[in-house]
Amino acid sequence: MAETEENLAKIQVRVLHQDMIVTMIVPGDCQNIEATDIFRVLESHKIVFGIEHKEIEKHIQDKHFDKEFVAAVGKHPIIGQDARIIFYFDTNPKKPEPKKREDGSVDQHELAVFPHVDAQTLIAKKIPATVSKGHGFTVYGRELPSSDGKDCVLKAGANVKRSESGLEYYAAVGGAPKLINDTVMVETLYVIEGDVDISTGNIHYQGDVRIKGNVSSHFNLEATGNIIIEGSIEAAQIVAGGSITGLHGIIGGNQGSLKAGADIHIAFAESAHLEAKGSVYVNRLIRQCNVIAGHSIFCDREDGLIAGGHLQAKYLIQAKVVGTHLEIKTHLRIGNRPELESRLKLLQEKIQSLDAESVKNQQQIQKLAKMIQRLKADPERSEQQFQKTLTEFKDVRIVLAQAEQDRVKHCEEKEEVEKLLADDRAPKLSVGKELYPGVEMWLDHEFFDVKYIMTGNTITVVKREITVMGYMHTNQG
């Protein structure tokens, strides 16, 4: 029979967690209670949603009196997730710290670590917002509204391309990935606003670099692209895969160096090493430097003085003034025919040697092949001897294949050297004003030693003889 109203009134009902859970405790006095009694109690408390019928029926059946149990559970709204961006690079890089050596000390020169990605690298990915999957309800039946997730925007900036879905962002070129406001980009030019010194450490960057300050002594600056330095350069080592431009000069203290895969442009150079696969352009002064140019050296703007040191160019050295009245030793070498001829001779010797060696190897291969055939046909052959002969045969074939590869490489280089030797441009020294004693020069095979002050002339080689054009002899003193 049903439980009395007096006992039902003793049932404890608690509504928890912002009307989302209802718990009940049935006292031991309710020995005749049934599940329908519990449902009536809940209805009297206006609890209409999420009633746990099975849990209630089991609790009553098992007569778990004076124990709290969950009688009703509301439903939370399933809100859509907001869109988010996953970045595959550090969008807020920290200040670099000195690199620790194995002995525990630190290298103050190795600080800067610049983020770099190759072309086609995934740098960001957008996770789209999700939609709502339904509203919720409290145990009182009050609706809890839901909402879709909010979208977010990430724009593809310079050198960034998006996938067809629009969700992935890839680097279109190699460079430094950056996030500025809501735009992701890849910069090929890395700009340092100040000096390269202990605050930055050495710079190693894949791309172009622009330094708005100076480059201090004993620091390295390397870039695979071009380097532009707006300030001065001290005894630093600078290497560029492209060109190097120094808006001021370099005072190298016999330790500083510039090495470029293309050209070098600089205001002046003192006591430094300059090396370019292209040409070297210096505005006003080259003093006591070692300069090597794959093409030409120009120092013909402003005063355009070359004084002291060793300069080497393939085609032309051009300046306003070369040497000084103090007769400072200045060594010039223009033209590379001697080196090319030596290289050609060496390549020819190597090819001849490889050809002779190949003939011997081919004869050895034929001999070993016959031995292998005889051993195969001999039923009483020594297996050890057979394997030894087979191994030797394979080894000689490997040596022959490598020799053939080397020969192809040497022949290709030989053709390039022959093309360079076929270039009939004569090496030249062009001086706009004075050429002083103390200057010694080689033009290909020919040596020229300046004995007197010469003005406004071009010195070249014609049919292996030194020719001076526009010569004017000026008496010293």
Side-chain angles (χ1 to χ4, degrees):
M1 63 181 188
E3 189 58 70
T4 65
E5 293 296 329
E6 181 181 357
N7 285 339
L8 291 179
K10 297 178 182 179
I11 296 176
Q12 299 180 33
V13 178
R14 294 202 302 164
V15 180
L16 309 172
H17 301 297
Q18 298 181 328
D19 301 341
M20 296 302 289
I21 293 180
V22 176
T23 64
M24 303 179 74
I25 298 177
V26 178
D29 295 341
C30 300
Q31 292 296 319
N32 297 320
I33 195 166
E34 297 178 355
T36 54
D37 296 326
I38 298 294
F39 298 149
R40 285 195 298 112
V41 172
L42 290 173
E43 184 179 0
S44 69
H45 285 77
K46 299 183 179 181
I47 295 168
V48 296
F49 184 87
I51 297 173
E52 299 284 340
H53 292 84
K54 290 183 179 180
E55 180 65 23
I56 293 171
E57 289 171 356
K58 186 176 185 304
H59 193 82
I60 297 303
Q61 182 180 349
D62 295 342
K63 298 186 179 297
H64 290 312
F65 299 114
D66 297 316
K67 289 185 179 180
E68 190 172 29
F69 67 98
V70 175
V73 177
K75 178 184 177 182
H76 289 280
I78 303 177
I79 299 172
Q81 297 293 315
D82 292 343
R84 58 192 176 93
I85 306 294
I86 300 174
F87 292 98
Y88 297 97
F89 65 94
D90 191 351
T91 59
N92 187 24
K94 298 178 181 178
K95 182 178 178 180
E97 298 180 352
K99 181 180 179 181
K100 290 186 178 181
R101 299 189 179 98
E102 292 183 0
D103 62 3
S105 62
V106 295
D107 185 351
Q108 294 288 352
H109 286 71
E110 291 294 341
L111 295 178
V113 178
F114 302 100
H116 181 274
V117 295
D118 296 327
Q120 309 304 322
T121 300
L122 177 65
I123 57 175
K125 182 177 181 180
K126 180 178 179 179
I127 307 300
T130 59
V131 298
S132 166
K133 292 185 178 180
H135 298 305
F137 295 90
T138 68
V139 293
Y140 294 116
R142 179 170 58 85
E143 186 178 31
L144 300 175
S146 180
S147 61
D148 294 337
K150 296 179 180 178
D151 193 18
C152 66
V153 176
L154 180 64
K155 298 175 183 177
N159 301 316
V160 172
K161 60 182 181 180
R162 296 170 69 176
S163 63
E164 292 184 3
S165 67
L167 300 178
E168 289 88 20
Y169 297 73
Y170 292 89
V173 299
K178 282 190 175 182
L179 176 66
I180 299 179
N181 297 324
D182 60 353
T183 303
V184 63
M185 63 189 68
V186 175
E187 293 186 342
T188 57
L189 173 65
Y190 193 88
V191 179
I192 295 180
E193 297 293 336
D195 299 338
V196 175
D197 54 19
I198 199 169
S199 66
T200 63
N202 295 329
I203 307 297
H204 309 281
Y205 185 71
Q206 297 185 49
D208 299 332
V209 174
R210 188 181 192 99
I211 309 298
K212 293 194 173 182
N214 306 319
V215 182
S216 302
S217 294
H218 313 303
F219 283 88
N220 299 333
L221 169 55
E222 299 179 7
T224 58
N226 301 318
I227 295 176
I228 299 175
I229 301 163
E230 298 184 9
S232 299
I233 305 167
E234 298 177 0
Q237 288 72 50
I238 299 175
V239 179
S243 294
I244 296 174
T245 300
L247 302 186
H248 291 280
I250 177 172
I251 301 178
N254 296 319
Q255 294 182 328
S257 67
L258 308 178
K259 293 185 179 181
D263 299 330
I264 293 176
H265 301 260
I266 197 161
F268 68 89
E270 292 191 32
S271 304
H273 176 86
L274 281 64
E275 185 173 343
K277 288 187 177 181
S279 294
V280 174
Y281 300 86
V282 182
N283 288 355
R284 61 177 183 269
L285 173 66
I286 301 175
R287 189 195 303 275
Q288 296 295 354
C289 289
N290 182 41
V291 183
I292 301 173
H295 196 279
S296 300
I297 298 172
F298 298 91
C299 186
D300 55 354
R301 296 177 62 184
E302 301 179 19
D303 294 334
L305 170 64
I306 296 174
H310 294 74
L311 288 80
Q312 178 178 339
K314 183 178 180 181
Y315 296 114
L316 170 68
I317 295 179
Q318 184 168 301
K320 292 289 182 66
V321 180
V322 180
T324 72
H325 66 281
L326 298 176
E327 301 187 8
I328 296 173
K329 286 293 182 182
T330 305
H331 303 275
L332 310 179
R333 178 175 288 277
I334 311 171
N336 61 348
R337 185 167 292 275
E339 291 84 354
L340 290 174
E341 290 173 348
S342 296
R343 184 60 184 168
L344 179 60
K345 182 180 178 182
L346 179 61
L347 289 169
Q348 290 170 337
E349 291 173 351
K350 286 184 175 181
I351 292 170
Q352 290 175 359
S353 176
L354 286 170
D355 288 343
E357 193 67 25
S358 293
V359 170
K360 292 181 181 179
N361 287 331
Q362 287 171 352
Q363 292 173 347
Q364 182 69 3
I365 286 173
Q366 292 174 359
K367 179 181 176 182
L368 291 169
K370 291 179 180 179
M371 290 178 62
I372 291 171
Q373 291 301 322
R374 286 199 304 268
L375 289 169
K376 280 185 176 180
D378 184 0
E380 298 181 359
R381 70 174 183 267
S382 167
E383 187 63 26
Q384 182 178 0
Q385 178 64 33
F386 177 76
Q387 291 299 328
K388 180 181 178 181
T389 305
L390 187 61
T391 300
E392 186 178 355
F393 175 79
K394 292 179 180 178
D395 290 343
V396 177
R397 288 188 63 181
I398 291 172
V399 171
L400 180 62
Q402 183 61 53
E404 289 175 351
Q405 291 179 12
D406 292 343
R407 189 184 191 281
V408 170
K409 181 179 67 175
H410 292 328
C411 285
E412 290 175 350
E413 185 181 353
K414 174 175 169 287
E415 289 180 7
E416 289 299 318
V417 172
E418 289 173 338
K419 288 179 183 178
L420 293 172
L421 285 170
D423 186 346
D424 59 359
R425 282 180 286 182
K428 292 181 181 180
L429 170 67
S430 178
V431 180
K433 294 182 179 179
E434 293 86 20
L435 175 62
Y436 285 92
V439 176
E440 299 177 348
M441 71 187 80
W442 283 91
L443 289 88
D444 278 342
H445 298 279
E446 312 308 318
F447 177 73
F448 187 84
D449 187 7
V450 180
K451 300 296 185 182
Y452 307 97
I453 298 177
M454 305 168 67
T455 60
N457 51 76
T458 297
I459 301 173
T460 187
V461 175
V462 178
K463 295 181 179 180
R464 300 201 66 163
E465 289 187 2
I466 294 288
T467 299
V468 180
M469 295 174 282
Y471 168 74
M472 182 179 293
H473 176 199
T474 303
N475 291 323
Q476 299 186 60

